[in-house]
């Protein structure tokens, strides 16, 4: 069987839970899974070494892992990563890294994998309007969407080695621009509540924020909302020219369900739509549809959810 | 004189319906357009030229049918348009090999492309060719500034950062607040007359091949409710049926 190597996904200095999903994906593709942890502080790796299915953990320690630099990270990670099929998360940064790692090894990359069967990989194409299954001969680098595969359970004891990695950084950070809002970002959230043009004004997004606070959710928006109102930043936009999200629950409020919006959220596990127009296309994709204005529905939703928490 | 390249790809209009015949997507009756993010790449490339001087060359890989996107780029203001003649399937490594040799031969200093193409959604081409060339790359930029030291704005960690990039580099473009220019009549007339520079290429073997394409599995029909009061029932189902809350 082929060796598999998982590149651990890091988030705010610790290993992101999707890394255990990557280990599950690795086990479908080969054996002897090694996890490579790119980090500045080797203690972050402790949390992954006891995951079932992980045989080896290689802690790649370097100052360059403080800030992402595509070429520097690719060379540093490549230098400590054994031969085999490399598996990374399909986050924007890790897709970029996956592409560079593949090119560095002169192999191909398959992005956004959502299913693995008999060594074949399936990914959404045409913004999720179709699925494509590919086969690979030899090694490749693949990226796997979050929240698709079950996390590999606890119950392993991998051998951990720490290697000082190095690479040449080709970019320099001149200024950090903090995110305008302290709210959870849509790309990190398990629950998202998004508003569209039907919200009427950006001030009305406060009703969505209240529900988001109750649920620990992020607030998203359609492009019409982002383009119409300066107060709704592009970082909130979900869809073709915004973010692609895959949460457990997506609540669309005052959003018609244009094909470009669906492109960013159609794979959500559960979709709730609130729209006053019974013919809005979003209802064809909703698990639960409420035909009502948001003015009527949101206060009821808010109080019912608060009562449950 | 900075030689700037911008990579453009034709994809189905994002409004179009995708149909399957047999076990692959049938694009015969679909309108093809420039991939939306490539429009931002063209805009950033033209701004780069305007601030430092130089030329912008738009490059696509494809058959003769792919020339429309080159003409579209020409109409907005690029100087040269090049089609690398290859109509067969290419995996990421094969495509990147073709493009990176063309870029190396052309003596380009900076390459712009969209952050991903609207058909594959992969986003592999920009960073991949940068690696083939041994260049720097920054992906998903929302702004660029080529006056003085070349800087871009791109997502980093939790927010955004102004990042200085040492050229040569490949830059992939997100939307951000970039407003793209529209073609004017003169541009459209020039584009009509413009000659496409057609280049032959050697087609490397692909190690990833497409087995099948299909429609996504249909979702089971949802439950519909009337009136705002039903939101309490939906909340209950989210807890008891979906086990989310
Ligand atoms: C190349 C391209 C890329 C695009 N990328 C994106 C993208 O990334 N993301 C995106 O979202 N769109 C994108 N779009 C735009 C997309 O086509 C739609 O225009 C957009 O999604 C519409 O946003 P909306 O649903 O908020 O607005 P609308 O379509 O105007 O819908 C508003 C909805 O609100 C409902 N409504 C009104 N009042 C109320 C009320 N009081 N209570 C409840 N419901 C109410 C209406 O019934 C209607 O259904 C893109 C388009 C193109 C061409």
């Amino acid at each position: 069987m082929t060796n598999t190597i998982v590149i651990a996904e890091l988030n705010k200095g610790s290993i992101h839970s999707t890394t255990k999903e990557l280990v599950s994906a690795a086990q479908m593709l080969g054996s002897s899974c090694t996890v490579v942890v790119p980090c500045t502080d080797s203690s972050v790796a402790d949390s992954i070494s006891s995951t079932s299915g992980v045989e080896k953990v290689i802690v790649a320690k370097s100052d360059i892992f403080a800030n992402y630099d595509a070429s520097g990270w690719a060379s540093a990670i490549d230098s400590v990563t054994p031969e085999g099929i490399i598996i990374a998360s399909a986050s924007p940064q890790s897709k970029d890294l996956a592409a560079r790692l593949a090119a560095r090894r002169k192999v191909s990359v398959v992005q956004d994998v959502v299913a693995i069967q008999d060594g074949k990989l399936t990914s959404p194409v045409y913004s999720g309007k179709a699925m494509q299954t590919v086969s690979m001969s030899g090694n490749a680098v693949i990226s796997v969407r979050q929240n698709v595969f079950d996390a590999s359970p606890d119950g392993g004891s991998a051998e951990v080695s720490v290697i000082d990695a190095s690479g040449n950084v080709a970019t320099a950070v001149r200024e950090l621009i903090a995110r305008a809002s302290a709210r959870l970002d849509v790309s990190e959230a398990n629950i998202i509540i998004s508003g569209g043009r039907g919200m009427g004004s950006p001030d009305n997004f406060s009703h969505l924020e209240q529900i988001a606070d109750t649920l620990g959710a992020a607030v998203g928006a359609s492009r019409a909302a982002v383009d119409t109102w300066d107060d709704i930043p592009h970082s909130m936009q979900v869809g073709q020219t915004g973010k692609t999200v895959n949460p457990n629950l997506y609540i669309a409020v005052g959003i018609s369900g244009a094909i470009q919006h669906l492109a960013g959220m159609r794979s959500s596990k559960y979709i709730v739509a609130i729209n006053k127009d019974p013919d809005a296309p979003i209802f064809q994709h909703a698990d639960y549809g409420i035909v009502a204005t948001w003015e009527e529905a949101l206060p009821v939703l808010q109080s019912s959810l608060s009562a449950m928490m | 004189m900075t030689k700037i390249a911008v990579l453009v790809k034709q994809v189905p209009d994002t409004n179009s319906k995708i149909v399957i015949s047999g076990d692959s997507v049938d694009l015969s009756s679909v309108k093809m357009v420039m991939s939306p993010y490539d429009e931002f790449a063209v805009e950033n490339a033209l701004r780069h030229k305007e601030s430092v001087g130089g030329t912008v060359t738009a490059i696509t890989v494809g058959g003769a049918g792919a020339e429309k996107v080159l003409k579209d780029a020409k109409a907005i203001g690029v100087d040269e348009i090049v089609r690398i003649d290859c109509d067969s399937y290419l995996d990421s490594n094969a495509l990147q090999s073709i493009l990176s040799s063309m870029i190396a031969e052309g003596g380009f200093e900076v390459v712009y492309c969209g952050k991903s193409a609207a058909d594959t959604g992969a986003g592999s081409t920009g960073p991949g060719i940068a690696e083939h060339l041994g260049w720097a790359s920054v992906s998903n930029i929302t702004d660029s500034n080529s006056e003085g030291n070349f800087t871009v704005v791109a997502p980093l960690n939790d927010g955004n950062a102004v990042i200085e990039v040492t050229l040569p580099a490949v830059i992939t473009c997100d939307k951000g607040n970039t407003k793209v220019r529209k073609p004017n009549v003169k541009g459209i007339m020039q584009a009509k007359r413009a000659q496409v520079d057609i280049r032959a290429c050697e087609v490397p073997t692909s190690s990833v091949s497409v087995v099948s394409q299909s429609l996504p599995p249909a979702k089971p029909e949802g439950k519909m409710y009337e009136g705002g009061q039903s939101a309490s029932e939906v909340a209950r189902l989210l807890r008891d049926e979906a086990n989310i809350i």
Side-chain angles (χ1 to χ4, degrees):
Chain A
M1 285 282 265
T2 321
N3 285 332
T4 55
I5 303 98
V6 164
I7 310 294
E9 180 77 357
L10 270 84
N11 180 29
K12 300 194 183 87
S14 54
I15 291 186
H16 190 286
S17 56
T18 197
T19 308
K20 294 184 180 179
E21 300 167 1
L22 302 180
V23 172
S24 298
Q27 287 172 290
M28 297 176 189
L29 286 169
S31 57
S32 55
C33 170
T34 299
V35 178
V36 171
V37 185
C39 57
T40 51
D41 169 6
S42 53
S43 66
V44 303
D46 297 347
S47 68
I48 198 74
S49 59
S50 59
T51 301
S52 170
V54 179
E55 279 187 20
K56 248 171 100 177
V57 175
I58 298 175
V59 180
K61 194 168 156 280
S62 172
D63 288 342
I64 73 164
F65 294 129
N67 285 323
Y68 183 66
D69 172 89
S71 63
W73 282 43
S75 59
I77 291 173
D78 180 47
S79 68
V80 303
T81 301
E83 285 296 305
I85 297 176
I86 299 178
I87 298 141
S89 166
S91 66
Q93 180 179 304
S94 294
K95 282 176 69 173
D96 190 62
L97 178 66
R100 285 207 73 128
L101 278 173
R104 200 171 173 85
R105 295 190 167 197
K106 301 282 185 283
V107 298
S108 270
V109 56
V110 181
Q111 305 275 21
D112 296 301
V113 171
V114 295
I116 300 173
Q117 201 169 20
D118 305 329
K120 299 190 181 73
L121 311 167
T122 302
S123 311
V125 287
Y126 303 104
S127 323
K129 286 185 260 182
M131 306 302 287
Q132 173 168 288
T133 300
V134 300
S135 63
M136 43 184 180
S137 65
N139 289 333
V141 181
I142 74 172
S143 71
V144 171
R145 285 253 175 115
Q146 272 184 38
N147 212 4
V148 176
F149 294 96
D150 290 333
S152 184
D154 287 341
S157 55
E159 164 207 331
V160 179
S161 53
V162 179
I163 305 180
D164 285 314
S166 64
N168 288 331
V169 168
T171 57
V173 177
R174 287 285 167 254
E175 185 191 341
L176 283 169
I177 309 164
R179 231 185 22 229
S181 129
R183 304 199 71 84
L184 191 60
D185 190 79
V186 288
S187 57
E188 292 160 18
N190 279 322
I191 302 181
I192 297 168
I193 180 163
S194 289
R197 201 196 322 256
M199 291 307 292
S201 89
D203 294 342
N204 290 331
F205 272 65
S206 62
H207 299 278
L208 305 176
E209 285 167 8
Q210 257 180 30
I211 294 179
D213 290 342
T214 307
L215 293 174
V219 179
S222 72
R223 173 158 163 183
V226 171
D227 285 356
T228 314
W229 300 309
D230 287 344
D231 292 350
I232 310 293
H234 178 245
S235 60
M236 284 169 66
Q237 184 180 320
V238 172
Q240 185 91 49
T241 41
K243 287 177 177 146
T244 303
V245 298
N246 193 23
N248 288 328
L249 173 60
Y250 189 90
I251 308 176
V253 187
I255 292 178
S256 58
I259 205 149
Q260 296 92 350
H261 189 77
L262 294 170
M265 46 62 76
R266 63 190 296 156
S267 64
S268 307
K269 292 227 165 86
Y270 281 89
I271 296 171
V272 172
I274 300 174
N275 197 303
K276 67 176 185 186
D277 174 8
D279 296 324
I282 189 77
F283 285 130
Q284 286 160 28
H285 300 268
D287 299 278
Y288 306 119
I290 302 173
V291 182
T293 64
W294 63 262
E295 290 91 334
E296 294 163 336
L298 289 184
V300 180
L301 187 63
Q302 165 74 43
S303 64
S304 317
L305 291 170
S306 303
M308 287 177 186
M309 303 307 279
Chain B
M1 293 293 277
T2 308
K3 279 198 85 177
I4 303 160
V6 57
L7 311 182
V8 291
K9 182 180 188 183
Q10 74 161 6
V11 300
D13 186 328
T14 55
N15 275 313
S16 57
K17 189 166 186 265
I18 294 295
V19 292
I20 301 283
S21 73
D23 54 8
S24 58
V25 165
D26 177 4
L27 297 178
S28 54
S29 55
V30 161
K31 183 181 166 212
M32 302 298 275
V33 298
M34 186 188 296
S35 182
Y37 292 116
D38 296 352
E39 297 183 11
F40 304 117
V42 173
E43 180 63 34
N44 276 289
L46 292 173
R47 290 183 192 182
H48 196 137
K49 170 188 156 174
E50 283 156 4
S51 65
V52 302
T55 57
V56 177
T57 303
I59 304 171
T60 198
V61 179
E67 287 181 4
K68 183 178 175 295
V69 293
L70 292 174
K71 298 270 178 161
D72 291 347
K74 178 75 191 173
I76 311 170
V78 307
D79 300 289
E80 309 283 333
I81 47 180
V82 175
R83 177 170 67 86
I84 303 177
D85 186 34
C86 172
D87 215 1
S88 43
Y89 167 80
L90 300 166
D91 69 4
S92 68
N93 189 46
L95 173 71
Q96 291 162 19
S97 308
I98 291 174
L99 278 168
S100 53
S101 16
M102 157 83 202
I103 288 158
E105 282 163 23
F108 294 101
E109 253 177 277
V110 55
V111 175
Y112 288 92
C113 65
K115 76 161 188 174
S116 62
D119 51 359
T120 67
S124 305
T125 305
I129 56 174
E131 188 66 45
H132 277 268
L133 292 162
W135 290 10
S137 64
V138 180
S139 291
N140 309 328
I141 69 145
T142 50
D143 202 0
S144 64
N145 186 348
S146 27
E147 271 158 44
N149 293 339
F150 179 55
T151 59
V152 294
V153 177
L156 188 72
N157 302 333
D158 245 359
N160 283 309
V162 178
I163 298 169
E164 187 175 325
V165 192
T166 315
L167 300 182
V170 180
I171 306 296
T172 87
C173 303
D174 198 348
K175 176 178 171 243
N177 294 321
T178 315
K179 295 266 182 294
V180 299
R181 63 195 74 183
K182 297 282 172 228
N184 56 28
V185 178
K186 187 165 156 251
I188 294 169
M189 294 311 290
Q190 275 177 349
K192 272 199 181 135
R193 287 193 302 270
Q195 273 289 314
V196 179
D197 177 359
I198 300 167
R199 307 282 181 89
C201 72
E202 255 174 66
V203 181
T205 40
S206 289
S207 65
V208 167
S209 43
V210 177
V211 179
S212 64
Q213 294 171 320
S214 59
L215 292 178
K219 259 195 122 149
E221 190 134 323
K223 296 186 172 140
M224 291 289 288
Y225 299 90
E226 292 276 339
Q229 284 307 321
S230 59
S232 65
E233 173 64 2
V234 169
R236 191 191 64 75
L237 290 170
L238 286 174
R239 182 187 60 190
D240 299 343
E241 192 175 77
N243 295 316
I244 287 174
I245 287 152

